[in-house]
């Protein structure tokens, strides 16, 4: 690397010293920032986009088929430039003016012309798409108008090496831009399902609150996926209504309503529309996971096996007293025991054990009080809120014996291993030729028996299993039940267990939990709003 570096510096010196009065390049810095050319300066004219003070509306530019906007006109003069020389700009961006921290940068090659080998001219154009991505990265995906602070240095590029002009404190333009960016779809925070299961109730959201789609994210543009679990009869018709329709219209049928493109569609996946929306139809009675992506305007309906006890949840302040499936109880290897494999309750959190309707299951204490860990607690219907006095990370067991309910909170044991160690347990399948791939090896967490595999992607339809290196002690698959996101699935051992497959593509974290008490593994596919182990 050093040999190439000094050869380039030599070429620059010969090329720029072609005439007696040509400026000689300064000795470049050898710090990690790279070389500097202090002897050459650029003459710059800023474009109206930088000087007008008006709001740059990304959507207006796109509607006008504007792909790029000019920032600077530049010219650099020397007696002679080497062959193949060009200019390059970097648009450094920050949310803060003081101190300016370069949080995002856009590298911009400049299309240049060379006049008499003495003057290098060019215009700095920034892509409208790149500017929008910068805003979304720094400020989130929700539509808004933001102030973006910028600084623009210039470099001379020779043979793949950049020589920054005049030094690392020199910027040829700096200031702020007001930018409005708006995704094509406006996402609300709350959506409800309405249809046969609700009796087509249209007298306000209270009537259909049990059919509220759930999303735990603070930013629904960052995670636009909403889920709902429901039981339906044969030929159950449905539509989807946002909260604003109830707020703005006495007659909700005059407001915003979503449904499939074709009225009466029985498709289990499809596109949502609010333009003359049809009613979808679930043909077969059963239990389903209903997922909507309000950024992509799509839906999917997945049948759920009866092996799970969907319908009983830990409901409390941590999940806004909702009933997301990640907080639901499931059948265990011990008859009569229902298990929620993963619960997080912050200190002071109040909660209850209940179904989606708070009826007939609404379990609490006989009188208000706190819960001790590892100790069975008798629950009473319509009782007072339960509370934890200290943070709880672990699993819960509820038992119904002769209509008497008890609850036990069991913290995960602290692991003797360091966080992030290789576990020897792999995801093996079509994504890695069924090999022991270190990129698909679960890592340890601070808790015994809790493993995570972060930042992975699994395409819909790809088959796989969970196993150790030799397919010996651990060889886990699923039964006949379909897999879904943010839901615990017990895995079954032995070579005859079926391969695991997702009906929809997934990007996120895969978590694996082993509960020694039941000798049972549970698998989660976690989207960004769902957590097993809190940060």
């Amino acid at each position: 690397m050093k040999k190439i570096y000094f050869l380039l510096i030599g070429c620059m010196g010969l090329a720029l010293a072609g005439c007696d009065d040509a400026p000689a390049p300064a000795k470049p810095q050898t710090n990690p920032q790279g070389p500097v050319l202090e002897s050459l300066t650029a003459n710059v004219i800023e474009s109206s986009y930088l000087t007008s003070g008006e709001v740059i509306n990304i959507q207006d530019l796109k509607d006008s088929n504007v792909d790029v906007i000019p920032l600077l006109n530049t010219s650099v003069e020397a007696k002679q430039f080497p062959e193949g020389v060009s200019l390059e700009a970097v648009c450094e961006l920050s949310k803060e003016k003081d101190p300016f921290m370069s949080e995002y940068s856009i590298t911009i090659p400049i299309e240049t012309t060379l006049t008499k080998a003495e003057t290098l001219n060019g215009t700095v154009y920034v892509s409208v798409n790149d500017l929008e991505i910068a805003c979304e990265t720094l400020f989130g995906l929700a539509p808004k108008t933001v102030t973006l602070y910028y600084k623009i240095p210039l470099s001379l590029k020779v043979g793949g090496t950049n020589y920054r002009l005049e030094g690392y404190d020199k910027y040829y333009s700096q200031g702020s831009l007001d930018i409005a960016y708006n995704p094509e779809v406006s996402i609300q925070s709350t959506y409800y399902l309405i249809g046969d299961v609700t009796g087509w109730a249209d007298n306000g959201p209270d009537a259909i609150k049990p059919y509220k789609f759930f999303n735990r994210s603070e930013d629904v543009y960052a995670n636009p996926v909403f889920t709902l679990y429901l039981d339906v009869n044969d030929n159950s018709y449905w539509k989807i209504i946002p909260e604003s329709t109830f707020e703005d219209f006495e007659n909700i049928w005059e407001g915003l309503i979503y449904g499939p493109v074709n009225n009466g569609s029985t498709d289990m996946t499809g596109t949502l529309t609010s333009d003359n929306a049809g009613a979808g139809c679930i043909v077969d009675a059963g239990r389903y996971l209903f997922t909507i992506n309000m950024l992509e305007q799509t839906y999917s309906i997945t049948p759920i096996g009866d092996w799970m006890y969907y319908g009983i949840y830990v409901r409390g302040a941590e999940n806004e007293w909702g009933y997301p499936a990640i907080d639901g109880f499931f059948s265990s290897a011990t008859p009569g025991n229902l298990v929620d494999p993963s619960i997080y309750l912050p200190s002071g959190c109040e909660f209850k054990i209940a179904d989606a309707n708070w009826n007939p299951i609404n379990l609490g204490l006989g009188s208000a009080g706190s819960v001790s860990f590892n100790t069975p607690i008798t629950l009473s219907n319509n009782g007072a809120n339960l509370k934890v006095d200290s943070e709880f990370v672990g699993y819960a067991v509820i038992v119904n014996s002769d209509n008497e309910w008890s609850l036990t909170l069991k913290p995960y044991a602290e692991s003797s291993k360091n966080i992030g160690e290789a576990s020897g347990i792999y995801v093996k399948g079509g994504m890695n030729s069924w090999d022991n791939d270190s990129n698909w090896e679960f890592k340890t967490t601070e808790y015994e028996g809790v493993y995570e595999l972060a930042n992975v992607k699994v395409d819909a339809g790809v088959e796989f299993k969970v196993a150790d290196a030799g397919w010996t002690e651990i060889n886990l698959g699923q039964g006949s039940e379909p897999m879904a996101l943010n839901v615990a699935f017990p895995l079954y051992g032995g070579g005859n267990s079926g391969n695991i497959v997702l009906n929809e593509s997934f990007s996120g974290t895969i978590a694996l939990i082993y509960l020694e008490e039941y000798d049972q593994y549970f698998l989660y596919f976690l989207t960004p709003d769902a957590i097993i182990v809190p940060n």
Side-chain angles (χ1 to χ4, degrees):
M1 176 62 79
K2 288 184 178 179
K3 181 178 180 181
I4 296 173
Y5 175 79
F6 286 117
L7 283 174
L8 284 171
I9 299 306
C11 291
M12 279 290 295
L14 290 173
L16 293 174
C19 297
D20 292 339
D21 55 350
K27 184 179 180 180
Q29 298 177 2
T30 57
N31 60 35
Q33 293 176 315
V36 169
L37 256 171
E38 296 179 348
S39 61
L40 293 184
T41 61
N43 298 313
V44 169
I45 301 174
E46 297 174 316
S47 80
S48 60
Y49 282 97
L50 300 182
T51 59
S52 69
E54 297 180 358
V55 175
I56 298 174
N57 190 300
I58 296 292
Q59 194 58 50
D60 287 350
L61 294 175
K62 289 183 175 180
D63 291 342
S64 302
N65 296 317
V66 175
D67 296 324
V68 295
I69 60 176
L71 299 181
L72 305 173
N73 289 319
T74 68
S75 65
V76 181
E77 294 184 2
K79 290 299 181 181
Q80 185 176 354
F81 281 107
E83 185 178 351
V85 69
S86 61
L87 287 170
E88 186 171 273
V90 176
C91 189
E92 298 178 2
L93 301 171
S94 174
K95 292 186 293 185
E96 304 294 335
K97 178 181 180 180
D98 188 18
F100 181 96
M101 300 292 291
S102 183
E103 301 169 271
Y104 192 93
S105 63
I106 303 172
T107 300
I108 307 171
I110 306 171
E111 293 187 8
T112 52
T113 59
L114 197 58
T115 305
K116 298 179 182 178
E118 296 176 352
T119 304
L120 200 60
N121 297 313
T123 302
V124 179
Y125 292 98
V126 65
S127 159
V128 173
N129 185 59
D130 285 347
L131 200 57
E132 182 178 38
I133 292 173
C135 291
E136 293 174 352
T137 301
L138 293 177
F139 295 96
L141 293 171
K144 58 172 72 78
T145 299
V146 300
T147 299
L148 198 60
Y149 296 92
Y150 68 89
K151 292 184 176 182
I152 303 177
L154 296 174
S155 298
L156 199 68
K157 189 171 183 178
V158 182
T161 298
N162 285 8
Y163 300 85
R164 181 158 170 168
L165 298 183
E166 296 193 69
Y168 281 90
D169 58 352
K170 176 62 178 179
Y171 296 93
Y172 288 92
S173 182
Q174 54 186 312
S176 64
L177 298 171
D178 292 326
I179 301 175
Y181 64 101
N182 298 278
E184 295 181 1
V185 178
S186 178
I187 304 177
Q188 298 186 30
S189 60
T190 304
Y191 294 88
Y192 301 92
L193 185 135
I194 192 168
D196 288 332
V197 293
T198 68
W200 293 98
D202 58 3
N203 56 337
D206 287 343
I208 58 175
K209 272 188 176 177
Y211 297 93
K212 173 184 173 182
F213 285 87
F214 193 83
N215 182 310
R216 183 178 268 151
S217 294
E218 295 182 2
D219 184 354
V220 293
Y221 287 86
N223 179 33
V225 177
F226 296 73
T227 56
L228 171 67
Y229 292 84
L230 72 161
D231 293 301
V232 301
N233 296 321
D234 288 339
N235 297 315
S236 183
Y237 287 84
W238 59 269
K239 288 189 176 184
I240 296 166
I241 298 180
E243 182 85 31
S244 64
T245 295
F246 291 107
E247 296 173 349
D248 299 339
F249 296 91
E250 290 187 10
N251 180 357
I252 64 170
W253 307 112
E254 297 176 356
L256 187 62
I257 299 175
Y258 294 91
V261 175
N262 297 318
N263 189 43
S265 172
T266 58
D267 292 342
M268 302 294 273
T269 61
T271 300
L272 291 172
T273 181
S274 59
D275 183 12
N276 195 27
C281 179
I282 303 174
V283 175
D284 297 322
R287 182 164 293 161
Y288 293 88
L289 165 66
F290 203 126
T291 303
I292 55 176
N293 186 318
M294 296 310 295
L295 187 62
E296 298 177 357
Q297 300 276 278
T298 58
Y299 72 90
S300 66
I301 305 170
T302 305
I304 298 296
D306 290 335
W307 59 276
M308 288 189 191
Y309 283 84
Y310 284 107
I312 304 179
Y313 308 87
V314 175
R315 301 184 63 176
E318 177 62 12
N319 59 21
E320 299 177 351
W321 297 93
Y323 46 95
I326 196 171
D327 293 325
F329 284 87
F330 310 92
S331 56
S332 74
T334 301
N337 284 17
L338 307 185
V339 176
D340 183 339
S342 170
I343 298 178
Y344 169 64
L345 298 170
S347 177
C349 180
E350 296 188 3
F351 66 98
K352 298 185 80 172
I353 307 299
D355 58 28
N357 296 317
W358 300 99
N359 182 32
I361 299 175
N362 181 353
L363 302 172
L365 293 175
S367 59
S370 299
V371 178
S372 299
F373 302 156
N374 291 314
T375 303
I377 302 159
T378 300
L379 302 177
S380 61
N381 210 31
N382 298 312
N385 291 348
L386 302 124
K387 187 176 78 168
V388 291
D389 291 332
S390 59
E391 181 183 65
F392 175 80
V393 183
Y395 64 104
V397 180
I398 56 175
V399 179
N400 182 7
S401 177
D402 296 328
N403 291 322
E404 291 187 1
W405 291 87
S406 68
L407 165 72
T408 308
L409 295 182
K410 301 189 176 186
Y412 296 137
E414 292 187 5
S415 175
S416 59
K417 299 180 180 179
N418 295 323
I419 297 174
E421 285 188 16
S423 67
I425 306 173
Y426 300 83
V427 172
K428 304 185 193 182
M431 72 285 288
N432 54 23
S433 301
W434 299 88
D435 288 335
N436 300 324
D437 185 341
S438 60
N439 294 319
W440 290 89
E441 184 176 8
F442 285 100
K443 301 300 187 294
T444 58
T445 68
E446 60 185 298
Y447 301 107
E448 192 70 36
V450 181
Y451 309 96
E452 290 187 347
L453 177 56
N455 301 319
V456 294
K457 180 179 179 181
V458 180
D459 292 328
V462 174
E463 296 187 3
F464 58 94
K465 297 185 78 172
V466 174
D468 56 25
W471 300 91
T472 51
E473 295 183 6
I474 301 175
N475 181 354
L476 303 170
Q478 68 174 118
S480 59
E481 299 80 20
M483 307 290 281
L485 308 187
N486 297 339
V487 180
F489 276 84
L491 297 179
Y492 304 94
N496 294 326
S497 60
N499 292 339
I500 305 166
V501 65
L502 290 174
N503 292 338
E504 56 185 313
S505 295
F506 164 79
S507 294
T509 296
I510 304 177
L512 182 69
I513 296 177
Y514 175 66
L515 300 184
E516 185 176 9
E517 177 182 2
Y518 300 103
D519 191 23
Q520 179 70 67
Y521 284 90
F522 292 88
L523 190 69
Y524 290 83
F525 295 87
L526 302 173
T527 55
D529 66 315
I531 61 170
I532 294 295
V533 178
N535 293 326

